[in-house]
Amino acid sequence: MIRRIAATLTGVLIAVACKGSREQAPASVLKDGAITIGSCDFPESELLAEIYAQALTQAGFTVVRSFDIGPRELVMPALQEGLLEVVPEYEGSALAFLGGTPTSGKGPTFALCARPTEPPDRRSRTR
């Protein structure tokens, strides 16, 4: 019985994977009427993203979840290119990723994070 269920689930997963591979990724999610929330590929990031998603849903917004994307090297460019709209993040970690230096005071770090940035040079990132 367990083998039959496993075989059925495997078939469904293969069918879904094949269907998804033919579809084009959206150029942007900024005008789709929903808020697309992303997360990095670690449990705390996914939990924070889910908290944001539930709060926004409770407030009446349509939310699309795009969790477990990968490391910051994938998530931040997706955010900057309009493939995501919200990513819960730590200010200091985000600033360090973008090439800044976090400070001990939250005010200066927040001010540096709030500045417009250019996407990081992905070829020079080794983290």
Side-chain angles (χ1 to χ4, degrees):
M1 180 70 172
I2 293 175
R3 287 184 180 170
R4 178 185 275 166
I5 292 170
T8 302
L9 287 175
T10 301
V12 169
L13 290 173
I14 290 171
V16 169
C18 290
K19 179 182 183 252
S21 65
R22 289 186 213 126
E23 296 176 6
Q24 289 281 338
S28 174
V29 297
L30 301 177
K31 296 180 182 178
D32 67 355
I35 298 172
T36 303
I37 301 176
S39 79
C40 293
D41 59 350
F42 59 93
E44 187 176 355
S45 178
E46 292 176 47
L47 176 63
L48 289 172
E50 181 60 32
I51 291 169
Y52 276 63
Q54 288 185 22
L56 288 166
T57 300
Q58 184 69 27
F61 293 95
T62 302
V63 173
V64 174
R65 291 163 173 85
S66 186
F67 297 171
D68 194 24
I69 295 171
R72 280 185 184 90
E73 289 81 2
L74 296 176
V75 174
M76 293 297 272
L79 180 65
Q80 291 170 324
E81 293 169 14
L83 299 175
L84 301 171
E85 293 166 290
V86 175
V87 177
E89 182 61 278
Y90 301 104
E91 288 176 354
S93 298
L95 182 60
F97 178 81
L98 295 171
T101 303
T103 66
S104 60
K106 68 179 182 179
T109 297
F110 179 78
L112 289 169
C113 285
R115 290 188 331 210
T117 61
E118 293 295 319
D121 181 1
R122 291 179 216 136
R123 288 170 280 147
S124 66
R125 289 282 180 205
T126 57
R127 285 190 226 170

